[in-house]
Amino acid sequence: MNKIYFGLSVIAFTFLSCQPGKNIKSMDTVVPPTASLRTQFENNIIRINENGISDSVATTIENRMKELNIPGISIAVFDNNEILWAKGYGLKNKENGETVNERILFQAASISKPVASVIAFKLMEQGKLKLDQDVNLQLRSWKVPENKFTIKEKVTASRIMSHTSGLGTSGFEGYNKKDSVPTLVQVLEGSSITNSEPVRVIQIPGESEYYSGGGMEVLQLLMEDVSEIKFPELAEALIFEPLKMENSTFQYPLPEKLNDYTSNGFDSNGKTIDGGYHLYPEKAAAGLWTTPSDLAKFMIALGKSYRGEKGGVLHQDSAQLMMKRVPGAGGTGIGIDGKGDAFRFRHTGGNAGFSCYAVSFANVGRGVVIMTNSDNGFPMNHEIVRAVSEVYDWPPMWMRE
């Protein structure tokens, strides 16, 4: 397991600053250990069936992408709190042949949720947001409608992040660029231009887990109300700038410096999503644009916080609370799996035309982030993390394995 560390101090593996549509090229004359392991990984993709059973024959990442009709993938692998390598494969735009490199942005989809949850914990640390208080006591722009389920138990920020708030509206389908896009309050209340159901309490808060993207939108409004700052600006100030996540944003329209670096999304038939991609006004639930390298920085910083190391993003007690299992659910703001050295935090993401996965071991700064521009990406995410575990001799990293 420690073989990866040997020689890292002398690695001269340099990625060129790439423009969209340009392939990454290495200037090395001697192949470093990291590149050798990456090549082993690229040729060690093993198909996994619906029951989680591996095939007996390995294939290449490019061949598997063709089999699953996945145009593009971007991956970052990290260890010892450092990114070992980041690389793109395939196409970001079929029409003009532009390729994926490590600077191309993908929609992170529901991986937006742990980022938003860390922002909520940051506001709690600043004394602005109360995690275990009825959210209606701090909401000003809109209130969660009371009903028979909220007579005794209330919706709280902690319950929202652990998906035990009782709120419904599990997910969002996004909006075509040609459509009218609702405001956050319209998403919560429901309107004639909203394509999701109104966000309402559908079971007793705290009773059991129910995955609710709608709940994250209540949390987004709560954060904006208590801070008096719009959510994209909060994310920039509290997460992206401190962690140097320079290729990440919740803004739309996208910042000019990032606009040319976005990947198109593709449906299960390989057809480009109309307009290139959908818009998600439900930012805290699904609106993040980012790269695997930037998400790796986030996962590394959250792991440092959990371990009490320098360079974290939260206080240690906050990060440990996030990764403490809630009875009948996962963590508070992020999924958790495994025990001991295999204890890890993770999240999946799926928007129209995008499928992603991010995972890191809590007790050591290692893991992987995978972003695909396809509705077909989920099974390959599984195969990629299993291949990384095999090549790097790491414990399992997939959900519940």
Side-chain angles (χ1 to χ4, degrees), residues 80-301:
N80 199 28
N81 294 329
E82 297 288 344
I83 296 174
L84 298 180
W85 58 268
K87 185 177 177 180
Y89 304 83
L91 300 175
K92 84 179 189 76
N93 188 321
K94 285 185 173 182
E95 294 180 1
N96 60 21
E98 287 183 324
T99 57
V100 175
N101 61 51
E102 83 279 6
R103 292 190 63 189
I104 299 302
L105 278 70
F106 292 68
Q107 289 187 357
S110 284
I111 301 178
S112 305
K113 293 178 175 70
V115 177
S117 296
V118 168
I119 296 170
F121 272 90
K122 294 283 285 186
L123 292 175
M124 180 273 292
E125 291 176 352
Q126 295 174 2
K128 295 178 180 178
L129 188 151
K130 299 184 184 300
L131 293 182
D132 298 311
Q133 177 180 276
D134 180 359
V135 294
N136 278 346
L137 297 178
Q138 289 191 289
L139 281 168
R140 296 193 305 274
S141 304
W142 178 86
K143 302 284 187 182
V144 175
E146 302 285 355
N147 60 26
K148 63 182 180 180
F149 300 113
T150 62
I151 294 172
K152 292 184 179 180
E153 297 294 334
K154 303 298 181 181
V155 175
T156 68
S158 289
R159 285 172 169 171
I160 288 173
M161 290 185 282
S162 65
H163 297 285
T164 59
S165 67
L167 289 163
T169 313
S170 59
F172 302 100
E173 62 182 75
Y175 294 83
N176 193 292
K177 292 179 181 179
K178 298 176 291 187
D179 296 338
S180 297
V181 178
T183 66
L184 176 54
V185 171
Q186 286 176 319
V187 169
L188 295 169
E189 185 60 31
S191 76
S192 60
I193 63 170
T194 306
N195 62 13
S196 56
E197 61 188 358
V199 179
R200 299 291 185 268
V201 180
I202 62 171
Q203 64 184 34
I204 297 172
E207 184 176 62
S208 63
E209 184 180 33
Y210 183 92
Y211 190 86
S212 175
M216 293 302 297
E217 292 315 297
V218 175
L219 183 67
Q220 178 183 328
L221 188 63
L222 177 65
M223 290 189 282
E224 292 183 346
D225 279 354
V226 301
S227 68
E228 298 183 341
I229 300 172
K230 289 296 183 182
F231 180 71
E233 284 74 29
L234 272 177
E236 186 70 30
L238 298 180
I239 305 293
F240 302 151
E241 287 185 4
L243 299 184
K244 294 181 171 55
M245 295 172 64
E246 297 175 353
N247 298 306
S248 300
T249 186
F250 281 103
Q251 296 276 10
Y252 196 83
L254 291 161
E256 186 175 349
K257 68 174 184 176
L258 301 179
N259 197 50
D260 291 337
Y261 291 87
T262 57
S263 174
N264 284 339
F266 299 87
D267 66 17
S268 59
N269 296 315
K271 182 180 178 181
T272 304
I273 298 297
D274 189 20
Y277 51 80
H278 284 177
L279 306 181
Y280 289 84
E282 307 91 357
K283 299 181 188 300
L288 176 62
W289 281 95
T290 188
T291 67
S293 293
D294 270 14
L295 272 183
K297 293 176 183 179
F298 172 79
M299 300 294 278
I300 288 168

Side-chain angles (χ1 to χ4, degrees), residues 322-336:
M322 283 190 72
M323 296 181 209
K324 180 180 179 181
R325 184 168 296 281
V326 175
T332 300
I334 199 157
I336 51 176

